[in-house]
Amino acid sequence: MHFQTDRQRAVGKGAAHSGTGHHIFMSVTAVALAFLVPVFVIIFGRTLGAPQEVVIAVFGNPFVAIVTALTIIVGMRHFAKGWQMCIEDYAHGTARGVLVFIGTAISYLVMASVLYALAKFAFLDLILGAMG
Amino acid sequence: MAETKRVERPLSPFMIGPYYRPQMTSISSITTRITGNALIVTVLLTAWWLLAAATSPGYFDFVNAIATSWFGDLLYTLSAWAVWYHFLAGLRHLYFDAGHGLEIETAEKLGWACFIGATVLTVLTIIIVAVI
């Protein structure tokens, strides 16, 4: 027996069972990425092809490291939810669950890998700087 | 009355092609989804490249050789177009969401703006990254 009215159960949910939360999340992350992506693309593009010491120095810089971290974290959440939206349009049942899981897993794997690399760059930059 | 009824919801039918003539509004929409999801390939390569730079000189040389090969150049050039297309289409989405630009003529012009704008921004990116 439910002690809720039909209306109360429906408020804010809709067919997605999560209301408009997904849509709003995509819009908010899109605004953040509109500022982050151009900066990251130029920094990365200009660094690609440089020797390893230069790559470490560039991505060891606090501003670059923070922009990179934000781009990857926000970008990968945006990707995982966009991927989920796409899968939910075209796949049903077990396939849907598995594919959404894979997208989410990849997004967190990329985040962890890049954050690890950035932490190591900051450390290496500190050591190399201390050695002159 | 208050019990939840489980309904088998239909998947979104894929309309472009057999049922619906391709046009700027539908093609610019599906291109947003394709570019957004395809960018994960380049994100993975980039994360791998950063991880390699944080690992060892030998491993960096190995991954850097792939990222800067003709294949890497091709992938990053296509990705530049994809990222700028997705960027512009995202801004268009925010503009649509605010209730603007929904007249057919304007919506089609905005679609062209995404395709042409992405191409212009890609050329500009190549100039900033590789030439200057």
Side-chain angles (χ1 to χ4, degrees):
Chain A
M1 175 144 185
H2 294 279
F3 291 97
Q4 274 183 320
T5 61
D6 284 353
R7 185 179 185 280
Q8 184 56 41
R9 267 195 315 118
V11 165
K13 297 275 185 145
H17 305 293
S18 60
T20 51
H22 191 124
H23 182 84
I24 292 168
F25 182 89
M26 293 310 276
S27 304
V28 171
T29 47
V31 172
L33 288 166
F35 291 98
L36 292 166
V37 166
V39 181
F40 176 74
V41 164
I42 298 303
I43 293 171
F44 168 73
R46 289 186 68 96
T47 313
L48 181 65
Q52 193 186 5
E53 315 83 83
V54 177
V55 174
I56 293 170
V58 169
F59 286 94
N61 170 285
F63 173 78
V64 176
I66 290 167
V67 166
T68 304
L70 283 174
T71 307
I72 292 298
I73 293 168
V74 180
M76 284 298 94
R77 288 311 295 143
H78 186 86
F79 160 75
K81 292 207 133 198
W83 168 259
Q84 181 189 346
M85 201 155 53
C86 178
I87 293 305
E88 285 172 350
D89 275 354
Y90 304 125
H92 248 330
T94 312
R96 172 187 288 192
V98 170
L99 288 168
V100 170
F101 174 84
I102 290 172
T104 309
I106 288 173
S107 80
Y108 282 114
L109 188 70
V110 169
M111 276 189 246
S113 306
V114 170
L115 291 179
Y116 170 80
L118 290 174
K120 203 155 170 190
F121 289 148
F123 179 70
L124 287 172
D125 203 41
L126 199 70
I127 301 290
L128 294 173
M131 293 195 313
Chain B
M1 196 59 201
E3 295 310 310
T4 324
K5 239 205 307 190
R6 279 297 253 163
V7 275
E8 252 328 283
R9 294 187 192 283
L11 294 175
S12 320
F14 195 83
M15 302 294 281
I16 307 168
Y19 311 109
Y20 212 66
R21 181 172 59 85
Q23 43 199 303
M24 182 42 83
T25 42
S26 58
I27 296 301
S28 59
S29 167
I30 195 72
T31 308
T32 312
R33 178 166 274 186
I34 294 167
T35 49
N37 284 305
L39 276 168
I40 194 64
V41 176
T42 310
V43 168
L44 287 172
L45 177 61
T46 305
W48 192 30
W49 179 80
L50 281 170
L51 211 50
T55 305
S56 70
Y59 196 53
F60 177 74
D61 287 344
F62 170 63
V63 181
N64 195 44
I66 297 170
T68 56
S69 65
W70 68 267
F71 174 74
D73 283 346
L74 179 71
L75 197 68
Y76 278 116
T77 306
L78 290 174
S79 298
W81 191 87
V83 86
W84 292 129
Y85 182 89
H86 200 82
F87 180 94
L88 293 172
L91 293 182
R92 183 179 72 144
H93 211 303
L94 294 172
Y95 188 62
F96 281 162
D97 283 354
H100 307 292
L102 292 161
E103 303 77 25
I104 293 173
E105 210 180 297
T106 317
E108 292 195 334
K109 271 189 197 147
L110 288 171
W112 280 109
C114 291
F115 280 98
I116 296 165
T119 310
V120 171
L121 287 172
T122 303
V123 173
L124 214 64
T125 306
I126 292 170
I127 292 171
I128 292 172
V129 164
V131 182
I132 297 172

